[in-house]
Amino acid sequence: MTPRIRTIAIGAAAAAAAAAGGYALGGPALAAYALLSTSLCGAAAVLWRQARRAEARQTRRDADLARLAEQVASLSQGLDRQHRSHEKSLRRLGERVGALGERIDLVPGETRRLALEGDRTAEIAAVLDDVRDGVASFPAKTRRLVREWNRMVYAEIEDLTALYRDIEPDRALPPLHGWAAGPDLARYLYRRVVEDGRTRVLECGSGSTTVVLAYALKSVGRGHVHALEHDPRFAEATRAMLKERGLDQWATVLDAPLTDVEVEGAPWRWYDPAVLPAAPIDLLLVDGPPGTTGPQARYPALPVLVDRLAEDAVVVLDDTRRDDEHRIGERWAERFEGWSLRSLPHDHGTIVLSREPKPEF
Ligand SMILES: C[S@@+](CC[C@H](N)C(=O)[O-])C[C@H]1O[C@@H](n2cnc3c(N)ncnc32)[C@H](O)[C@@H]1O
């Protein structure tokens, strides 16, 4: 017997006993009075218990959020420390390179002096000049790279914190690094649903973004995300992430094995088109199949799906810092007339394609 059924049974038995006692002592009027007061007491006890549970849930949630805030604060402090230590190392490196530069400075003069012996030495001197300039520019270039890296990490922390604030999840969000999209892209997708009302979503490649998109759809109260997944293990893993967050109603992971697909007259390995949902799409995320399955593995997405896209659909391509994916974005923009391309400065690189607005007459 479940605890709920046991509670109801005990309550019913108590009410029946009170009514029977009341009847024996004072007839039907006292029986009705006893039944009513016992039921009221029972209802009050149930409400009190529910309130206690809700309070406990809220306390757990507050504790999770406080833990997250502590983690973000300690991450920021760590970054500050790293930043200072990088600066110190760079200064030391700059001094050493400067000293080296002074010694290298002597070499071209010396070589030129030897150039009297033949033309080749003059060429060597010019090469050495270039080497010296290259070495001299090294600390400034490294400083620029470190600054860029720091900016990126801070931006990721900002996006992750904002996502937690927007979603207020009951448990931690799934990983947003490594194989998964970063917090920058995850937040961009969340906003496309919540701010633009794009609720008919298709994803090529399931994972953490499926969960974030499902949260977004839950928050607007309509729509669905379908995620194509070629690997049954990862399909199951994504389903589990959705289930443990109570999001199954907002997302479906479709088992879509890679199969031979003909695209623009050429053979390709891509998701089995037979499993594609019929509904039109207004947000398409292209984040699979993985590049390990073949060159330009994600190219077929637009040729295969273009006829299923709503007029105002946006197509989001992840990982465009990699040459292969960047080329795919450019190839789509060249091949599909009327589509324009925008690059977003995300950590992994993101390209967004949308149809240009029609000219007004
Ligand atoms: C580039 S990942 C991105 C998946 C998803 N759009 C995201 O950002 O979370 C693409 C592929 O990674 C694989 N994948 C999914 N879950 C994974 C996991 N937990 N660990 C490793 N790989 C996973 C899947 O095969 C998926 O198609």
Side-chain angles (χ1 to χ4, degrees), residues 123-142:
E123 282 169 36
I124 294 169
V127 171
L128 283 171
D129 270 339
D130 283 349
V131 172
R132 186 201 48 200
D133 292 346
V135 171
S137 70
F138 178 71
K141 275 189 191 149
T142 314

Side-chain angles (χ1 to χ4, degrees), residues 261 263 268-270 289 296-305 328 332:
V261 177
V263 176
W268 235 288
R269 295 290 289 169
W270 201 69
Q296 299 224 337
R298 299 178 186 180
Y299 180 75
L302 197 51
V304 173
L305 296 168
I328 290 171
W332 283 344

Side-chain angles (χ1 to χ4, degrees), residues 16-356:
Y23 191 81
L25 290 172
L30 191 56
Y33 176 74
L35 184 62
L36 183 66
S37 45
T38 320
S39 307
L40 283 175
C41 286
V46 169
L47 286 175
W48 178 78
R49 214 162 125 187
Q50 277 176 354
R52 287 290 307 271
R53 282 209 191 112
E55 208 177 294
R57 265 201 306 277
Q58 185 58 40
T59 311
R60 272 201 305 280
R61 207 154 134 189
D62 288 348
D64 280 352
L65 284 175
R67 248 196 322 279
L68 175 75
E70 271 171 26
Q71 280 170 3
V72 169
S74 103
L75 209 55
S76 296
Q77 280 167 6
L79 277 171
D80 273 346
R81 270 198 303 279
Q82 244 179 40
H83 186 77
R84 280 196 294 280
S85 130
H86 276 317
E87 271 193 351
K88 222 187 272 170
S89 313
L90 276 176
R91 228 188 346 270
R92 272 203 302 272
L93 187 65
E95 283 162 11
R96 286 170 58 189
V97 172
L100 191 64
E102 280 170 22
R103 287 170 60 193
I104 290 180
D105 271 351
L106 302 175
V107 179
E110 192 61 14
T111 316
R112 266 188 219 103
R113 194 174 60 72
L114 294 170
L116 296 171
E117 291 168 19
D119 284 343
R120 296 274 313 150
T121 13
E123 282 169 36
I124 294 169
V127 171
L128 283 171
D129 270 339
D130 283 349
V131 172
R132 186 201 48 200
D133 292 346
V135 171
S137 70
F138 178 71
K141 275 189 191 149
T142 314
R143 243 179 263 129
R144 250 201 320 278
L145 276 177
V146 171
R147 263 202 301 275
E148 169 66 10
W149 183 78
N150 270 341
R151 192 196 64 73
M152 199 68 93
V153 174
Y154 276 110
E156 293 283 42
I157 291 178
E158 274 171 7
D159 282 323
L160 185 63
T161 316
L163 254 190
Y164 268 90
R165 192 196 54 216
D166 290 343
I167 297 178
E168 293 193 340
D170 281 339
R171 56 169 65 208
L173 292 175
L176 290 170
H177 64 270
W179 57 269
D184 43 14
L185 176 56
R187 180 152 183 251
Y188 176 81
L189 294 168
Y190 184 88
R191 292 174 66 185
R192 296 296 61 79
V193 173
V194 172
E195 292 176 13
D196 305 352
R198 297 178 184 284
T199 55
R200 297 166 299 172
V201 189
L202 181 71
E203 261 193 306
C204 301
S206 79
S208 303
T209 47
T210 319
V211 173
V212 170
L213 284 161
Y215 270 126
L217 293 164
K218 183 181 174 190
S219 113
V220 296
R222 65 200 157 86
H224 203 82
V225 49
H226 288 96
L228 303 176
E229 180 53 65
H230 74 287
D231 188 322
R233 284 169 310 157
F234 294 135
E236 231 7 87
T238 306
R239 283 186 198 113
M241 292 198 294
L242 291 164
K243 193 165 171 26
E244 62 200 13
R245 290 168 177 81
L247 294 168
D248 335 35
Q249 146 187 17
W250 304 101
T252 305
V253 182
L254 299 166
D255 286 299
L258 298 185
T259 182
D260 292 331
V261 177
E262 192 182 303
V263 176
E264 296 160 3
W268 235 288
R269 295 290 289 169
W270 201 69
Y271 302 105
D272 184 355
V275 308
L276 287 172
I281 302 158
D282 54 17
L283 176 57
L284 171 63
L285 170 63
V286 184
D287 204 7
T292 47
T293 61
Q296 299 224 337
R298 299 178 186 180
Y299 180 75
L302 197 51
V304 173
L305 296 168
V306 70
D307 292 337
R308 294 167 185 259
L309 296 177
E311 190 54 34
D312 64 346
V314 290
V315 178
V316 180
L317 175 62
D318 188 17
D319 298 319
T320 54
R321 273 199 203 276
R322 296 199 296 241
D323 286 346
D324 210 35
E325 274 69 21
H326 191 83
R327 184 70 204 112
I328 290 171
E330 287 181 338
R331 213 172 143 188
W332 283 344
E334 284 158 16
R335 161 83 182 74
F336 292 94
E337 207 181 316
W339 287 82
S340 58
L341 175 154
R342 214 154 38 95
S343 285
L344 305 180
H346 291 167
D347 190 15
H348 299 179
T350 301
I351 278 181
V352 177
L353 276 100
S354 55
R355 287 186 174 100
E356 284 157 2

